[in-house]
Amino acid sequence: MPIQRGGPVEGTPAEGAVFLTALTAGPIARVDIARETGLSSAAVTRVAKLLIDEGYLEYAPDQPASADETRMGRPSSPLRVHARQTGSFGIIVRRDELIGVVCDLAGAPLVAERRPLDDNSVAATIAAIAAFYRELVQRAEGAGFVVAPHDLGLSLSGDIDHDTGYVRYSPFLGWRDVDLGTAVSQTVGAPVVVENDVKALTVAEQWFGLGQGITNFAVVTIGTGIGCAIVVDGGLVRGAHSVAGEIGHLPLGDPSVQCHCGAHGCVEAEASTTALLERCRSATGRDDLTIESAVELARSGDDGVRAIFARAGRLIGLALASVANLLGPERVIVAGEGVSSYDLFEAAIREAFAEQAFGAAHQVPIHVRDLPFEEWARGAAAVAIQELVFPSRQRVAADIRRRPGARRV
Ligand SMILES: [Zn+2]
């Protein structure tokens, strides 16, 4: 379903920049928005007025305007996002559960819940998402929204085409070529945007986390998969097919090892939780080993198991160095379930990174973040807010083309 645009806001880059600055740095005066965004004062004033008229921005309270300011349109009153104007829903789809949040327009989570996902066939997953969405809609009632939220951001791991909502390949769900966005949108009767889970998490980090105020950074996730998303010059890099940043499939490992993607030598083929567990089982001869017991064995000093974790850490460190060498981020954020055993990877990651990062790139700080999956779901909700307020150009163009009497493409 195309995004329904209610008023004169068109989702231009200037509107997006002003909204985002108010969101991440608000309350903020227009003069400071102009400085942050590089837009002229006149452009900021014009765009801010549009966004205020649409209800997206408001003047911060406790900042009474003087009579002069009121006469002049309150040029110095700080602006912020009008959080309860509306909101969005975010759901992350994992192999065995759904984690969902209701966020306000400023991205603050008001509700966070989990539901088991017993059957991850396409039909059962869509039905479970729709049922969970309806529960979240009910939970949002009474939260004081001016306009009841209905936009849903969905995130899941794998090769996701953000522009079309198409899941090309999700190894953990065993899906190929699923038109998830359309199917869920038709089932729930609301706009749905689908994003790769690490890219969605990166939007949350950019808006609310360690990416705030940073124009170049990378988020690398370790766990069931090795994921990465990159922000360059303030923009999330999706690339032509939305697959930019797939460092898990850099061929830095043993070329004789085949990855689930079909290629050989991928980092993920040796460093994912699944690969680690398989290796630990074969090294110890214990088929009953779980990842938790493997971590315990390593911590208790089992040299063979420690070496398997160190080997994974080395590959992750080499992959991080590749990101640093290619893109020169100001910082790298490491997240994902794997950070709970980061102590087993850390020395090897740092050593390989220092060895392979070129020149000044080896000074890039690596921050480890233990983010719960609710924070990932918040990222999906943030992507829905992004689409609501300033949809991607493809969507705006497609939306306008569908309108009768369209005057602009
Ligand atoms: Zn691969």
mmCIF file of all heavy atoms in Angstrom, residues 25-68:
data_model
loop_
_atom_site.group_PDB
_atom_site.id
_atom_site.type_symbol
_atom_site.label_atom_id
_atom_site.label_comp_id
_atom_site.label_asym_id
_atom_site.label_seq_id
_atom_site.Cartn_x
_atom_site.Cartn_y
_atom_site.Cartn_z
ATOM 1 N N ALA A 25 18.514 16.109 17.680
ATOM 2 C CA ALA A 25 19.199 17.169 18.434
ATOM 3 C C ALA A 25 18.222 18.122 19.111
ATOM 4 O O ALA A 25 18.634 19.095 19.726
ATOM 5 C CB ALA A 25 20.134 17.948 17.506
ATOM 6 N N GLY A 26 16.912 17.883 18.981
ATOM 7 C CA GLY A 26 15.919 18.795 19.529
ATOM 8 C C GLY A 26 15.810 18.710 21.032
ATOM 9 O O GLY A 26 16.220 17.701 21.616
ATOM 10 N N PRO A 27 15.241 19.714 21.697
ATOM 11 C CA PRO A 27 14.789 20.970 21.102
ATOM 12 C C PRO A 27 15.975 21.774 20.549
ATOM 13 O O PRO A 27 17.003 21.870 21.211
ATOM 14 C CB PRO A 27 14.142 21.724 22.258
ATOM 15 C CG PRO A 27 13.934 20.699 23.340
ATOM 16 C CD PRO A 27 14.983 19.655 23.130
ATOM 17 N N ILE A 28 15.783 22.315 19.369
ATOM 18 C CA ILE A 28 16.884 23.005 18.694
ATOM 19 C C ILE A 28 16.325 24.224 17.948
ATOM 20 O O ILE A 28 15.263 24.138 17.317
ATOM 21 C CB ILE A 28 17.641 22.024 17.749
ATOM 22 C CG1 ILE A 28 18.806 22.723 17.042
ATOM 23 C CG2 ILE A 28 16.694 21.345 16.755
ATOM 24 C CD1 ILE A 28 19.760 21.768 16.322
ATOM 25 N N ALA A 29 17.030 25.337 18.051
ATOM 26 C CA ALA A 29 16.595 26.571 17.383
ATOM 27 C C ALA A 29 16.816 26.451 15.878
ATOM 28 O O ALA A 29 17.717 25.727 15.432
ATOM 29 C CB ALA A 29 17.385 27.753 17.937
ATOM 30 N N ARG A 30 16.009 27.190 15.123
ATOM 31 C CA ARG A 30 16.130 27.089 13.667
ATOM 32 C C ARG A 30 17.512 27.499 13.163
ATOM 33 O O ARG A 30 18.028 26.933 12.207
ATOM 34 C CB ARG A 30 15.037 27.919 12.989
ATOM 35 C CG ARG A 30 13.773 27.089 12.811
ATOM 36 C CD ARG A 30 12.640 27.909 12.317
ATOM 37 N NE ARG A 30 12.098 28.694 13.431
ATOM 38 C CZ ARG A 30 10.986 29.390 13.363
ATOM 39 N NH1 ARG A 30 10.304 29.449 12.248
ATOM 40 N NH2 ARG A 30 10.548 30.053 14.406
ATOM 41 N N VAL A 31 18.110 28.467 13.859
ATOM 42 C CA VAL A 31 19.436 28.905 13.433
ATOM 43 C C VAL A 31 20.435 27.745 13.580
ATOM 44 O O VAL A 31 21.339 27.568 12.746
ATOM 45 C CB VAL A 31 19.879 30.176 14.223
ATOM 46 C CG1 VAL A 31 19.906 29.902 15.724
ATOM 47 C CG2 VAL A 31 21.201 30.704 13.750
ATOM 48 N N ASP A 32 20.237 26.936 14.600
ATOM 49 C CA ASP A 32 21.126 25.781 14.790
ATOM 50 C C ASP A 32 20.803 24.658 13.798
ATOM 51 O O ASP A 32 21.699 23.928 13.364
ATOM 52 C CB ASP A 32 21.029 25.274 16.230
ATOM 53 C CG ASP A 32 21.528 26.323 17.219
ATOM 54 O OD1 ASP A 32 22.530 26.982 16.902
ATOM 55 O OD2 ASP A 32 20.897 26.491 18.279
ATOM 56 N N ILE A 33 19.516 24.532 13.430
ATOM 57 C CA ILE A 33 19.161 23.546 12.393
ATOM 58 C C ILE A 33 19.848 23.934 11.084
ATOM 59 O O ILE A 33 20.393 23.081 10.378
ATOM 60 C CB ILE A 33 17.626 23.466 12.194
ATOM 61 C CG1 ILE A 33 16.942 22.966 13.474
ATOM 62 C CG2 ILE A 33 17.284 22.545 11.016
ATOM 63 C CD1 ILE A 33 15.414 22.898 13.395
ATOM 64 N N ALA A 34 19.841 25.236 10.790
ATOM 65 C CA ALA A 34 20.481 25.698 9.557
ATOM 66 C C ALA A 34 21.971 25.357 9.580
ATOM 67 O O ALA A 34 22.536 24.876 8.595
ATOM 68 C CB ALA A 34 20.264 27.205 9.392
ATOM 69 N N ARG A 35 22.591 25.575 10.733
ATOM 70 C CA ARG A 35 24.030 25.292 10.826
ATOM 71 C C ARG A 35 24.288 23.789 10.692
ATOM 72 O O ARG A 35 25.195 23.361 9.993
ATOM 73 C CB ARG A 35 24.570 25.819 12.159
ATOM 74 C CG ARG A 35 26.087 25.795 12.221
ATOM 75 C CD ARG A 35 26.652 26.543 13.404
ATOM 76 N NE ARG A 35 25.987 26.196 14.640
ATOM 77 C CZ ARG A 35 25.370 27.085 15.431
ATOM 78 N NH1 ARG A 35 25.352 28.355 15.123
ATOM 79 N NH2 ARG A 35 24.792 26.695 16.551
ATOM 80 N N GLU A 36 23.460 22.978 11.339
ATOM 81 C CA GLU A 36 23.637 21.515 11.303
ATOM 82 C C GLU A 36 23.424 20.936 9.910
ATOM 83 O O GLU A 36 24.086 20.003 9.501
ATOM 84 C CB GLU A 36 22.635 20.841 12.249
ATOM 85 C CG GLU A 36 22.897 21.048 13.714
ATOM 86 C CD GLU A 36 23.910 20.074 14.261
ATOM 87 O OE1 GLU A 36 23.847 18.899 13.873
ATOM 88 O OE2 GLU A 36 24.769 20.503 15.049
ATOM 89 N N THR A 37 22.430 21.473 9.191
ATOM 90 C CA THR A 37 22.037 20.859 7.922
ATOM 91 C C THR A 37 22.698 21.504 6.709
ATOM 92 O O THR A 37 22.675 20.932 5.626
ATOM 93 C CB THR A 37 20.516 20.975 7.712
ATOM 94 O OG1 THR A 37 20.156 22.364 7.738
ATOM 95 C CG2 THR A 37 19.732 20.231 8.776
ATOM 96 N N GLY A 38 23.237 22.731 6.908
ATOM 97 C CA GLY A 38 23.795 23.443 5.761
ATOM 98 C C GLY A 38 22.730 24.119 4.916
ATOM 99 O O GLY A 38 23.028 24.674 3.856
ATOM 100 N N LEU A 39 21.472 24.072 5.362
ATOM 101 C CA LEU A 39 20.398 24.750 4.619
ATOM 102 C C LEU A 39 20.397 26.237 4.988
ATOM 103 O O LEU A 39 20.863 26.620 6.060
ATOM 104 C CB LEU A 39 19.036 24.143 4.995
ATOM 105 C CG LEU A 39 18.786 22.693 4.583
ATOM 106 C CD1 LEU A 39 17.548 22.133 5.303
ATOM 107 C CD2 LEU A 39 18.598 22.588 3.073
ATOM 108 N N SER A 40 19.847 27.071 4.090
ATOM 109 C CA SER A 40 19.761 28.499 4.402
ATOM 110 C C SER A 40 18.697 28.708 5.480
ATOM 111 O O SER A 40 17.795 27.876 5.648
ATOM 112 C CB SER A 40 19.392 29.286 3.147
ATOM 113 O OG SER A 40 18.044 28.984 2.798
ATOM 114 N N SER A 41 18.792 29.835 6.181
ATOM 115 C CA SER A 41 17.796 30.141 7.221
ATOM 116 C C SER A 41 16.411 30.205 6.608
ATOM 117 O O SER A 41 15.436 29.740 7.210
ATOM 118 C CB SER A 41 18.100 31.484 7.879
ATOM 119 O OG SER A 41 19.362 31.435 8.442
ATOM 120 N N ALA A 42 16.331 30.773 5.407
ATOM 121 C CA ALA A 42 15.018 30.907 4.758
ATOM 122 C C ALA A 42 14.429 29.522 4.466
ATOM 123 O O ALA A 42 13.238 29.279 4.676
ATOM 124 C CB ALA A 42 15.160 31.702 3.462
ATOM 125 N N ALA A 43 15.291 28.602 4.005
ATOM 126 C CA ALA A 43 14.810 27.246 3.694
ATOM 127 C C ALA A 43 14.353 26.548 4.972
ATOM 128 O O ALA A 43 13.303 25.895 4.992
ATOM 129 C CB ALA A 43 15.917 26.437 3.013
ATOM 130 N N VAL A 44 15.135 26.701 6.058
ATOM 131 C CA VAL A 44 14.749 26.057 7.320
ATOM 132 C C VAL A 44 13.422 26.619 7.803
ATOM 133 O O VAL A 44 12.527 25.873 8.226
ATOM 134 C CB VAL A 44 15.855 26.233 8.395
ATOM 135 C CG1 VAL A 44 15.366 25.771 9.764
ATOM 136 C CG2 VAL A 44 17.101 25.468 7.992
ATOM 137 N N THR A 45 13.255 27.931 7.723
ATOM 138 C CA THR A 45 12.002 28.562 8.177
ATOM 139 C C THR A 45 10.820 28.038 7.378
ATOM 140 O O THR A 45 9.782 27.671 7.941
ATOM 141 C CB THR A 45 12.115 30.097 8.042
ATOM 142 O OG1 THR A 45 13.178 30.515 8.892
ATOM 143 C CG2 THR A 45 10.830 30.794 8.454
ATOM 144 N N ARG A 46 10.991 27.952 6.068
ATOM 145 C CA ARG A 46 9.898 27.491 5.196
ATOM 146 C C ARG A 46 9.551 26.026 5.501
ATOM 147 O O ARG A 46 8.385 25.669 5.698
ATOM 148 C CB ARG A 46 10.314 27.632 3.721
ATOM 149 C CG ARG A 46 9.233 27.255 2.717
ATOM 150 C CD ARG A 46 9.727 27.442 1.272
ATOM 151 N NE ARG A 46 10.956 26.690 0.998
ATOM 152 C CZ ARG A 46 10.998 25.380 0.810
ATOM 153 N NH1 ARG A 46 9.903 24.660 0.845
ATOM 154 N NH2 ARG A 46 12.146 24.760 0.576
ATOM 155 N N VAL A 47 10.585 25.185 5.574
ATOM 156 C CA VAL A 47 10.358 23.751 5.813
ATOM 157 C C VAL A 47 9.804 23.516 7.220
ATOM 158 O O VAL A 47 8.872 22.726 7.414
ATOM 159 C CB VAL A 47 11.675 22.966 5.602
ATOM 160 C CG1 VAL A 47 11.543 21.549 6.122
ATOM 161 C CG2 VAL A 47 12.043 22.949 4.122
ATOM 162 N N ALA A 48 10.348 24.238 8.197
ATOM 163 C CA ALA A 48 9.870 24.059 9.583
ATOM 164 C C ALA A 48 8.401 24.427 9.678
ATOM 165 O O ALA A 48 7.631 23.751 10.356
ATOM 166 C CB ALA A 48 10.706 24.902 10.539
ATOM 167 N N LYS A 49 8.001 25.479 8.959
ATOM 168 C CA LYS A 49 6.587 25.885 9.000
ATOM 169 C C LYS A 49 5.692 24.766 8.445
ATOM 170 O O LYS A 49 4.661 24.427 9.030
ATOM 171 C CB LYS A 49 6.387 27.185 8.205
ATOM 172 C CG LYS A 49 4.941 27.670 8.266
ATOM 173 C CD LYS A 49 4.737 28.979 7.541
ATOM 174 C CE LYS A 49 3.289 29.497 7.703
ATOM 175 N NZ LYS A 49 2.249 28.488 7.581
ATOM 176 N N LEU A 50 6.128 24.185 7.327
ATOM 177 C CA LEU A 50 5.368 23.062 6.748
ATOM 178 C C LEU A 50 5.224 21.924 7.759
ATOM 179 O O LEU A 50 4.140 21.374 7.941
ATOM 180 C CB LEU A 50 6.116 22.500 5.532
ATOM 181 C CG LEU A 50 5.881 23.100 4.158
ATOM 182 C CD1 LEU A 50 6.794 22.416 3.138
ATOM 183 C CD2 LEU A 50 4.425 22.911 3.760
ATOM 184 N N LEU A 51 6.354 21.577 8.392
ATOM 185 C CA LEU A 51 6.352 20.440 9.319
ATOM 186 C C LEU A 51 5.553 20.755 10.581
ATOM 187 O O LEU A 51 4.914 19.865 11.149
ATOM 188 C CB LEU A 51 7.795 20.032 9.664
ATOM 189 C CG LEU A 51 8.613 19.447 8.498
ATOM 190 C CD1 LEU A 51 10.085 19.307 8.881
ATOM 191 C CD2 LEU A 51 8.074 18.077 8.067
ATOM 192 N N ILE A 52 5.557 22.016 11.006
ATOM 193 C CA ILE A 52 4.733 22.410 12.166
ATOM 194 C C ILE A 52 3.259 22.344 11.768
ATOM 195 O O ILE A 52 2.423 21.795 12.501
ATOM 196 C CB ILE A 52 5.110 23.828 12.656
ATOM 197 C CG1 ILE A 52 6.510 23.817 13.273
ATOM 198 C CG2 ILE A 52 4.082 24.343 13.666
ATOM 199 C CD1 ILE A 52 7.105 25.198 13.488
ATOM 200 N N ASP A 53 2.941 22.878 10.574
ATOM 201 C CA ASP A 53 1.542 22.862 10.120
ATOM 202 C C ASP A 53 1.008 21.436 10.008
ATOM 203 O O ASP A 53 -0.162 21.174 10.261
ATOM 204 C CB ASP A 53 1.406 23.566 8.752
ATOM 205 C CG ASP A 53 1.614 25.071 8.875
ATOM 206 O OD1 ASP A 53 1.618 25.566 10.017
ATOM 207 O OD2 ASP A 53 1.792 25.736 7.831
ATOM 208 N N GLU A 54 1.891 20.499 9.618
ATOM 209 C CA GLU A 54 1.471 19.099 9.474
ATOM 210 C C GLU A 54 1.435 18.356 10.807
ATOM 211 O O GLU A 54 1.026 17.200 10.859
ATOM 212 C CB GLU A 54 2.431 18.368 8.537
ATOM 213 C CG GLU A 54 2.234 18.703 7.070
ATOM 214 C CD GLU A 54 0.842 18.318 6.594
ATOM 215 O OE1 GLU A 54 0.551 17.118 6.541
ATOM 216 O OE2 GLU A 54 0.044 19.227 6.293
ATOM 217 N N GLY A 55 1.933 19.028 11.852
ATOM 218 C CA GLY A 55 1.917 18.406 13.179
ATOM 219 C C GLY A 55 3.159 17.602 13.500
ATOM 220 O O GLY A 55 3.248 17.018 14.578
ATOM 221 N N TYR A 56 4.146 17.563 12.596
ATOM 222 C CA TYR A 56 5.336 16.746 12.856
ATOM 223 C C TYR A 56 6.281 17.418 13.864
ATOM 224 O O TYR A 56 6.981 16.756 14.605
ATOM 225 C CB TYR A 56 6.107 16.481 11.564
ATOM 226 C CG TYR A 56 5.388 15.570 10.588
ATOM 227 C CD1 TYR A 56 5.395 15.834 9.217
ATOM 228 C CD2 TYR A 56 4.727 14.433 11.021
ATOM 229 C CE1 TYR A 56 4.742 15.003 8.317
ATOM 230 C CE2 TYR A 56 4.076 13.597 10.134
ATOM 231 C CZ TYR A 56 4.090 13.889 8.781
ATOM 232 O OH TYR A 56 3.451 13.063 7.905
ATOM 233 N N LEU A 57 6.334 18.748 13.820
ATOM 234 C CA LEU A 57 7.209 19.476 14.750
ATOM 235 C C LEU A 57 6.367 20.389 15.618
ATOM 236 O O LEU A 57 5.252 20.765 15.251
ATOM 237 C CB LEU A 57 8.241 20.336 13.980
ATOM 238 C CG LEU A 57 9.256 19.638 13.087
ATOM 239 C CD1 LEU A 57 10.276 20.659 12.568
ATOM 240 C CD2 LEU A 57 9.984 18.522 13.826
ATOM 241 N N GLU A 58 6.935 20.747 16.782
ATOM 242 C CA GLU A 58 6.245 21.690 17.672
ATOM 243 C C GLU A 58 7.303 22.529 18.381
ATOM 244 O O GLU A 58 8.480 22.161 18.419
ATOM 245 C CB GLU A 58 5.395 20.933 18.695
ATOM 246 C CG GLU A 58 6.235 20.068 19.627
ATOM 247 C CD GLU A 58 5.413 19.335 20.688
ATOM 248 O OE1 GLU A 58 4.184 19.424 20.657
ATOM 249 O OE2 GLU A 58 6.037 18.669 21.530
ATOM 250 N N TYR A 59 6.829 23.649 18.935
ATOM 251 C CA TYR A 59 7.730 24.443 19.763
ATOM 252 C C TYR A 59 7.887 23.740 21.096
ATOM 253 O O TYR A 59 6.921 23.219 21.652
ATOM 254 C CB TYR A 59 7.160 25.847 19.976
ATOM 255 C CG TYR A 59 7.106 26.645 18.694
ATOM 256 C CD1 TYR A 59 5.892 26.894 18.056
ATOM 257 C CD2 TYR A 59 8.283 27.126 18.120
ATOM 258 C CE1 TYR A 59 5.857 27.607 16.870
ATOM 259 C CE2 TYR A 59 8.243 27.835 16.928
ATOM 260 C CZ TYR A 59 7.034 28.076 16.313
ATOM 261 O OH TYR A 59 7.001 28.759 15.137
ATOM 262 N N ALA A 60 9.113 23.739 21.605
ATOM 263 C CA ALA A 60 9.348 23.108 22.901
ATOM 264 C C ALA A 60 8.648 23.926 23.977
ATOM 265 O O ALA A 60 8.645 25.144 23.916
ATOM 266 C CB ALA A 60 10.846 23.032 23.172
ATOM 267 N N PRO A 61 8.035 23.257 24.970
ATOM 268 C CA PRO A 61 7.358 24.021 26.024
ATOM 269 C C PRO A 61 8.367 24.700 26.938
ATOM 270 O O PRO A 61 9.572 24.459 26.842
ATOM 271 C CB PRO A 61 6.579 22.932 26.776
ATOM 272 C CG PRO A 61 7.340 21.689 26.524
ATOM 273 C CD PRO A 61 7.986 21.830 25.174
ATOM 274 N N ASP A 62 7.833 25.517 27.834
ATOM 275 C CA ASP A 62 8.654 26.252 28.794
ATOM 276 C C ASP A 62 9.637 27.192 28.120
ATOM 277 O O ASP A 62 10.687 27.514 28.650
ATOM 278 C CB ASP A 62 9.423 25.305 29.736
ATOM 279 C CG ASP A 62 8.494 24.318 30.390
ATOM 280 O OD1 ASP A 62 7.413 24.739 30.853
ATOM 281 O OD2 ASP A 62 8.824 23.128 30.403
ATOM 282 N N GLN A 63 9.338 27.509 26.887
ATOM 283 C CA GLN A 63 10.179 28.467 26.181
ATOM 284 C C GLN A 63 9.241 29.541 25.645
ATOM 285 O O GLN A 63 9.051 29.648 24.441
ATOM 286 C CB GLN A 63 10.906 27.800 24.992
ATOM 287 C CG GLN A 63 11.788 26.621 25.339
ATOM 288 C CD GLN A 63 13.149 27.048 25.835
ATOM 289 O OE1 GLN A 63 13.524 28.208 25.699
ATOM 290 N NE2 GLN A 63 13.888 26.118 26.412
ATOM 291 N N PRO A 64 8.598 30.322 26.519
ATOM 292 C CA PRO A 64 7.610 31.281 26.025
ATOM 293 C C PRO A 64 8.238 32.280 25.049
ATOM 294 O O PRO A 64 9.334 32.780 25.293
ATOM 295 C CB PRO A 64 7.124 31.975 27.297
ATOM 296 C CG PRO A 64 8.171 31.713 28.317
ATOM 297 C CD PRO A 64 8.820 30.427 27.958
ATOM 298 N N ALA A 65 7.554 32.474 23.949
ATOM 299 C CA ALA A 65 8.066 33.401 22.942
ATOM 300 C C ALA A 65 7.777 34.833 23.384
ATOM 301 O O ALA A 65 6.759 35.112 24.005
ATOM 302 C CB ALA A 65 7.377 33.127 21.618
ATOM 303 N N SER A 66 8.689 35.716 23.073
ATOM 304 C CA SER A 66 8.457 37.122 23.368
ATOM 305 C C SER A 66 7.465 37.677 22.346
ATOM 306 O O SER A 66 7.207 37.052 21.316
ATOM 307 C CB SER A 66 9.781 37.891 23.273
ATOM 308 O OG SER A 66 10.178 37.911 21.918
ATOM 309 N N ALA A 67 6.926 38.856 22.645
ATOM 310 C CA ALA A 67 5.967 39.474 21.718
ATOM 311 C C ALA A 67 6.624 39.689 20.364
ATOM 312 O O ALA A 67 6.023 39.443 19.312
ATOM 313 C CB ALA A 67 5.478 40.791 22.296
ATOM 314 N N ASP A 68 7.907 40.069 20.386
ATOM 315 C CA ASP A 68 8.622 40.309 19.122
ATOM 316 C C ASP A 68 8.752 39.018 18.322
ATOM 317 O O ASP A 68 8.520 38.977 17.127
ATOM 318 C CB ASP A 68 10.042 40.827 19.400
ATOM 319 C CG ASP A 68 10.020 42.325 19.650
ATOM 320 O OD1 ASP A 68 8.919 42.906 19.551
ATOM 321 O OD2 ASP A 68 11.105 42.868 19.961
#
